[in-house]
Amino acid sequence: MSIYTLRHFQAPGRAEPCKAILEYTGAKWTLESPQWPQEKVNQPVGKLPVLVETNKDGTRFILSDSLAIEQYLVCKYNLCVPEQDRQMVARQTELRNQLNDLFQMTQLIVNITEPTTRTNFIQRFMTLAKDVVTYQEKWLKENGSTGHYFGNKTTYIDLALLGTLCAIRCTLKGMPEMLEPFNKKNAPLMNNIMTTMEKDSKLVKYMSTCQC
């Protein structure tokens, strides 16, 4: 059985879906938070997160980039939609990329200090958030409003939503108006998924760590 080390900062961020996946699968893993920026040079391409998998024979597999880590783990633990259904695979990728676009924009917003530019990015984020929510709510309705993105069981995108919204809520803490697109009124089916995930016994430990 492999042992994993996930390198990332303690604060909720782009590694949240990776954490949720590792917890849900019952993998043996630990979080390692390197001293930054001192250890930046020791990471592949100088960024986090990084996954270090130690195999039974002692060999190590090192992988960087949050989306690559997610996709590796969900394929390994059979949390993807069926590989032979290329349309559903494409849909899975599309939905994940939409969530990632939202997170990436929050990172830009919190690091912009020039008022006019910051205001413009906030407006762009709000437009994108509303569009993504509308699109994903429509898909969830087509799936039967089951509390999941695909069928009636937990798959990759359910966990990605959980982790991404955790990260977004923490990033935008103190800016509640920017979280309105994701509330129960505007995104009822996405919130149903969040409720399903939060009640899952496999995710109790993860939920206790996703605090702002």
Side-chain angles (χ1 to χ4, degrees):
M1 181 178 181
S2 295
I3 298 174
Y4 302 95
T5 299
L6 182 65
R7 297 176 188 163
H8 199 254
F9 308 110
Q10 288 288 337
R14 69 178 69 253
E16 289 309 304
C18 301
K19 295 178 187 178
I21 292 164
L22 286 165
E23 281 298 323
Y24 183 80
T25 60
K28 186 174 182 180
W29 74 285
T30 56
L31 178 67
E32 178 184 284
S33 297
Q35 291 295 314
W36 209 259
Q38 296 92 319
E39 295 188 43
K40 180 180 174 73
V41 296
N42 298 323
Q43 314 307 322
V45 299
K47 67 176 186 177
L48 299 175
V50 171
L51 182 74
V52 181
E53 178 180 13
T54 303
N55 301 307
K56 293 176 71 173
D57 62 2
T59 58
R60 299 200 308 170
F61 174 61
I62 300 176
L63 187 64
S64 68
D65 185 88
S66 57
L67 292 180
I69 294 169
E70 292 173 24
Q71 290 160 13
Y72 171 67
L73 291 171
V74 294
C75 288
K76 182 172 182 177
Y77 289 100
N78 298 315
L79 290 170
C80 293
V81 296
E83 184 178 320
Q84 63 270 23
D85 191 335
R86 301 313 302 170
Q87 290 185 349
M88 287 300 98
V89 171
R91 184 71 70 209
Q92 175 181 261
T93 301
E94 173 193 52
L95 296 168
R96 180 65 189 101
N97 288 349
Q98 289 174 354
L99 296 174
N100 191 54
D101 287 345
L102 289 171
F103 174 76
Q104 297 278 48
M105 193 167 286
T106 67
Q107 301 306 291
L108 291 173
I109 290 169
V110 297
N111 288 301
I112 293 173
T113 56
E114 200 284 313
T116 301
T117 304
R118 183 180 173 87
T119 298
N120 288 339
F121 269 87
I122 289 174
Q123 292 173 346
R124 288 172 58 186
F125 173 82
M126 295 301 289
T127 298
L128 178 63
K130 291 174 183 176
D131 289 345
V132 168
V133 166
T134 297
Y135 187 88
Q136 298 208 0
E137 287 284 307
K138 181 176 180 292
W139 169 255
L140 291 169
K141 186 175 181 180
E142 290 178 9
N143 187 55
S145 305
T146 63
H148 296 285
Y149 273 96
F150 294 94
N152 59 1
K153 66 178 184 179
T154 298
T155 61
Y156 175 23
I157 307 304
D158 299 324
L159 296 165
L161 176 70
L162 175 65
T164 302
L165 284 189
C166 170
I168 287 175
R169 287 168 176 167
C170 290
T171 301
L172 300 179
K173 185 179 180 181
M175 305 174 72
E177 69 283 356
M178 292 186 64
L179 296 174
E180 289 183 4
F182 311 106
N183 64 27
K184 291 182 179 180
K185 178 182 177 181
N186 295 318
L189 300 182
M190 294 174 79
N191 276 276
N192 284 349
I193 293 176
M194 293 294 287
T195 299
T196 300
M197 297 296 97
E198 290 164 2
K199 290 182 177 179
D200 194 312
S201 60
K202 297 177 183 177
L203 292 165
V204 171
K205 183 177 179 180
Y206 172 74
M207 295 308 304
S208 70
T209 64
C210 189
Q211 304 294 330
C212 304

